[in-house]
Amino acid sequence: MATHAALFDALGLPTPPKGDALRVENPSTGAEICSLPMMDAADADAAVASAQKSFEALREVPGPLRGELVRRMAERLREHKATLSKIVSLESGKNYQEALGEVQEMIDICDFATGMSRSIGGRTMHSERPGHRMYEQWHPLGPVLCISAFNFPVAVWSWNAALALICGDPVIWKPSLKTPLSAIAVHGLLQPILADHDPALAS
């Protein structure tokens, strides 16, 4: 199997920085894949502040346009499905076919969320007051935290992120310490799409 550096190169992404705090292993063999630096409390606080800043921009984007961002994310995942699946397989121990299925789940939820982006609405109700109407209007909530496990290193994030994004809510992703490369790869692939729309979204 290709090394993680070769797989990141195939995605057009820089190899993740080296560090000595987090040892990433291939669970099938126990061999070290790489070692990475870890975030500290200050880094985590900065990530939350960045997500809040992104929220200020994302909540002003109309729902259908947020859906268009998620649709483009699905296209990018389709384009790099094979290589991303190899990264998932390398560090999670899943066989390649299962990894392909997991990345396909990311694509499927993005497609689903794209459709939902045009159907977010609320009820209109009769009022007892003449000349008035009552209605529900849904508003973005704010940054959402997603914690994902090693056995589904990318699918669980996408189930939450695709729906959160169409609702105008940015996502802070805390991946499993056993599968950080999958998260780094997905982040690297998808952030440019947000930056294309508005640099303030790509935090």
Side-chain angles (χ1 to χ4, degrees):
M1 178 175 283
T3 66
H4 79 286
L7 293 170
F8 270 76
D9 186 59
L11 294 174
L13 300 174
T15 303
K18 294 181 180 180
D20 56 9
L22 178 62
R23 184 174 188 265
V24 183
E25 299 179 356
N26 181 331
S28 302
T29 65
E32 181 175 310
I33 298 171
C34 66
S35 59
L36 301 171
M38 291 275 285
M39 294 177 70
D40 58 19
D43 294 326
D45 288 342
V48 172
S50 182
Q52 183 61 39
K53 182 178 178 182
S54 294
F55 175 59
E56 302 300 323
L58 187 60
R59 69 182 182 181
E60 298 298 330
V61 178
L65 291 182
R66 296 193 294 251
E68 172 62 14
L69 292 174
V70 174
R71 185 194 67 77
R72 290 180 59 201
M73 293 166 79
E75 286 184 348
R76 188 123 166 100
L77 291 170
R78 282 187 180 93
E79 180 183 352
H80 297 286
K81 178 179 175 180
T83 304
L84 186 55
S85 298
K86 290 175 184 175
I87 294 174
V88 170
S89 180
L90 175 67
E91 68 172 356
S92 74
K94 290 186 175 188
N95 65 47
Y96 181 60
Q97 289 302 316
E98 289 181 341
L100 281 170
E102 182 168 354
V103 175
Q104 184 61 49
E105 288 188 42
M106 299 178 74
I107 296 166
D108 292 342
I109 193 64
C110 285
D111 289 343
F112 176 75
T114 298
M116 285 192 67
S117 70
R118 292 184 173 272
S119 61
I120 299 173
R123 296 180 301 166
T124 298
M125 299 155 280
H126 292 289
S127 172
E128 297 178 359
R129 299 175 62 189
H132 288 75
R133 70 184 183 101
M134 298 188 300
Y135 65 95
E136 293 177 343
Q137 183 173 353
W138 293 62
H139 296 284
L141 179 65
V144 174
L145 173 65
C146 179
I147 301 173
S148 55
F150 82 97
N151 58 330
F152 281 96
V154 293
V156 171
W157 169 81
S158 67
W159 298 338
N160 291 274
L163 298 176
L165 288 172
I166 64 161
C167 293
D169 302 321
V171 179
I172 303 164
W173 186 5
K174 194 280 182 190
S176 167
L177 296 181
K178 296 182 182 296
T179 53
L181 294 174
S182 298
I184 293 169
V186 170
H187 183 271
L189 284 173
L190 301 184
Q191 286 300 96
I193 293 170
L194 298 174
D196 282 348
H197 178 84
D198 184 341
L201 301 181
S203 302

